Amino acid sequence: MKHLVIITALILSLTSLSQLHAQQQEHRFDPPWNKPWNEGLSFTVAGVDNVPDLYGDIVDPQLVVFFAGNQFMVIDDLLAGFKKAYPYYTRIFAETLPPGILAKQIKSGSITVGNMRISHQPDVYTAGKSKISEMQDFFSRSEVYAKNNLAIMVQKGNPKNVKGLCDLGRADVMVSMPNPEWEGIGKRIEEAYVKAGGEMLRKKIMELKVKDKTTYLTQIHHRQTPMRIMYGQSQAGPVWYSEAYYQKMIGNPIEMIPVPEKENIQAIYMAGQLKTAPHPKAAEDFMNFLVSSEAKKIYRQYGFTVD
């Protein structure tokens, strides 16, 4: 009887360890992928309490910047560079959510994430050229500072042998695709589909495959697409080149398939200084830094192109 109890306890212990290992495996690729700012207690629990697209000091910030989300990989170095150039600014708050969501946040006055309501208004908002042009009346100044092109992100080893955009129309390829409703890149990728395979390819990927659930529409593609691919939920996803470049840079198990120039499209990143900026001098200083050679050097390091 004693041996049975010991064996039972051992089995339970091994089961618990196995479950713990499975849980760790389940979240092994979860963001944040950068090293979080940490000047006090760090409490990030994968899958439970993890907000990787809110950065810095939420209390009494001296500068608030809303970045189009696919720039998240640049933020640490960019803000460190800004603080070095302008040492006065020690408290900065930034968001890297999809630009359509950020635009709605600006217009509505706040956003709620989980149980946290954020009512900060930005000093500077960055997005693609079309979104900035659409909201031009909100800005006292706007500037172009970086550019990007499309690539296809796939699982390491490319098991589905994806060679280009047309392969995303195949029934056996599970696609992760930005939802055009709130992610500007979604509409641009649709343009690329038409370039590569005509309206038929766009319809297949964006309508037929969405209907049969072999295309998954993301809410925050710069996080969901790499995670879905690394966890085996999708096999391929069109992304900005810099996103695939970054995942390879940090050693995550993905590969990048180039999109030829004749099928590709270009993103032009612009920043707008809000007329209602709560910190107008900080907004002006950040705009100046964003178009500086130092900022362009940082963007270039992460796979963006700059003039």
Side-chain angles (χ1 to χ4, degrees), residues 111-139:
I111 191 171
T112 299
V113 180
N115 293 313
M116 177 173 60
R117 179 174 176 268
I118 302 168
S119 56
H120 288 314
Q121 284 297 292
D123 298 297
V124 175
Y125 166 69
T126 83
K129 181 179 179 180
S130 61
K131 178 59 72 173
I132 295 293
S133 297
E134 176 188 316
M135 297 175 62
Q136 192 61 54
D137 289 346
F138 284 76
F139 309 120

Side-chain angles (χ1 to χ4, degrees), residues 131-150:
K131 178 59 72 173
I132 295 293
S133 297
E134 176 188 316
M135 297 175 62
Q136 192 61 54
D137 289 346
F138 284 76
F139 309 120
S140 58
R141 173 187 176 188
S142 58
E143 300 280 359
V144 172
Y145 60 91
K147 297 177 181 178
N148 217 337
N149 292 99
L150 286 182

Side-chain angles (χ1 to χ4, degrees), residues 11-28 45-46:
I11 291 171
L12 289 173
S13 177
L14 290 172
T15 301
S16 296
L17 286 172
S18 176
Q19 290 173 341
L20 177 60
H21 180 69
Q23 289 172 350
Q24 290 172 338
Q25 289 292 304
E26 183 183 350
H27 295 291
R28 68 192 184 279
V45 182

Side-chain angles (χ1 to χ4, degrees), residues 44 66 118-119 122-123 130 139 150 215 218 231 236 254 268 276 302:
T44 301
F66 287 3
I118 302 168
S119 56
D123 298 297
S130 61
F139 309 120
L150 286 182
T215 289
T218 67
Y231 287 125
I254 68 97
I268 298 175
T276 56
Y302 286 94

Side-chain angles (χ1 to χ4, degrees), residues 55-64 90-93 120 279:
Y55 292 77
D57 295 277
I58 199 166
V59 177
D60 191 26
Q62 297 164 292
L63 171 69
V64 177
T90 59
R91 299 185 310 280
I92 301 173
F93 176 68
H120 288 314
H279 314 96

Side-chain angles (χ1 to χ4, degrees), residues 179-197:
N179 193 324
E181 282 194 32
W182 43 68
E183 300 207 70
I185 183 177
K187 294 177 181 176
R188 304 304 312 280
I189 292 171
E190 286 187 301
E191 294 174 24
Y193 288 152
V194 173
K195 281 186 175 185

Side-chain angles (χ1 to χ4, degrees), residues 10-266:
L10 182 59
I11 291 171
L12 289 173
S13 177
L14 290 172
T15 301
S16 296
L17 286 172
S18 176
Q19 290 173 341
L20 177 60
H21 180 69
Q23 289 172 350
Q24 290 172 338
Q25 289 292 304
E26 183 183 350
H27 295 291
R28 68 192 184 279
F29 298 124
D30 283 15
W33 296 306
N34 61 313
K35 184 180 179 181
W37 300 354
N38 182 16
E39 296 178 353
L41 174 66
S42 178
F43 187 75
T44 301
V45 182
V48 180
D49 273 304
N50 182 11
V51 189
D53 284 297
L54 304 181
Y55 292 77
D57 295 277
I58 199 166
V59 177
D60 191 26
Q62 297 164 292
L63 171 69
V64 177
V65 185
F66 287 3
F67 289 94
N70 49 60
Q71 299 168 78
F72 72 88
M73 69 290 290
V74 179
I75 303 308
D76 288 340
D77 288 347
L78 188 71
L79 296 186
F82 175 70
K83 287 180 177 181
K84 185 176 179 180
Y86 297 87
Y88 169 76
Y89 301 110
T90 59
R91 299 185 310 280
I92 301 173
F93 176 68
E95 297 184 16
T96 55
L97 295 168
I101 298 297
L102 294 174
K104 290 181 180 180
Q105 182 179 351
I106 292 171
K107 293 170 183 176
S108 68
S110 69
I111 191 171
T112 299
V113 180
N115 293 313
M116 177 173 60
R117 179 174 176 268
I118 302 168
S119 56
H120 288 314
Q121 284 297 292
D123 298 297
V124 175
Y125 166 69
T126 83
K129 181 179 179 180
S130 61
K131 178 59 72 173
I132 295 293
S133 297
E134 176 188 316
M135 297 175 62
Q136 192 61 54
D137 289 346
F138 284 76
F139 309 120
S140 58
R141 173 187 176 188
S142 58
E143 300 280 359
V144 172
Y145 60 91
K147 297 177 181 178
N148 217 337
N149 292 99
L150 286 182
I152 303 171
M153 188 183 290
V154 298
Q155 295 168 319
K156 188 172 183 179
N158 193 11
K160 290 294 182 179
N161 194 29
V162 173
K163 296 179 180 178
L165 292 173
C166 288
D167 286 326
L168 304 188
R170 286 165 31 196
D172 66 319
V173 177
M174 301 286 287
V175 177
S176 179
M177 172 69 199
N179 193 324
E181 282 194 32
W182 43 68
E183 300 207 70
I185 183 177
K187 294 177 181 176
R188 304 304 312 280
I189 292 171
E190 286 187 301
E191 294 174 24
Y193 288 152
V194 173
K195 281 186 175 185
E199 175 61 21
M200 184 177 294
L201 179 64
R202 188 208 66 79
K203 184 175 181 180
K204 184 180 289 186
I205 298 170
M206 297 303 298
E207 296 179 28
L208 302 179
K209 291 189 56 150
V210 168
K211 191 173 182 179
D212 69 18
K213 301 189 187 320
T214 56
T215 289
Y216 178 87
L217 296 180
T218 67
Q219 293 172 291
I220 183 164
H221 92 278
H222 61 273
R223 300 293 188 186
Q224 285 175 294
T225 290
M227 289 178 69
R228 287 185 63 82
I229 290 172
M230 289 189 284
Y231 287 125
Q233 298 166 323
S234 298
Q235 284 100 33
V239 296
W240 292 123
Y241 174 91
S242 55
E243 294 172 47
Y245 182 90
Y246 175 71
Q247 294 298 331
K248 287 176 66 67
M249 178 192 292
I250 62 176
N252 276 339
I254 68 97
E255 290 184 18
M256 183 197 314
I257 308 301
V259 175
E261 186 176 348
K262 65 180 181 180
E263 298 174 3
N264 218 316
I265 50 92
Q266 185 180 70

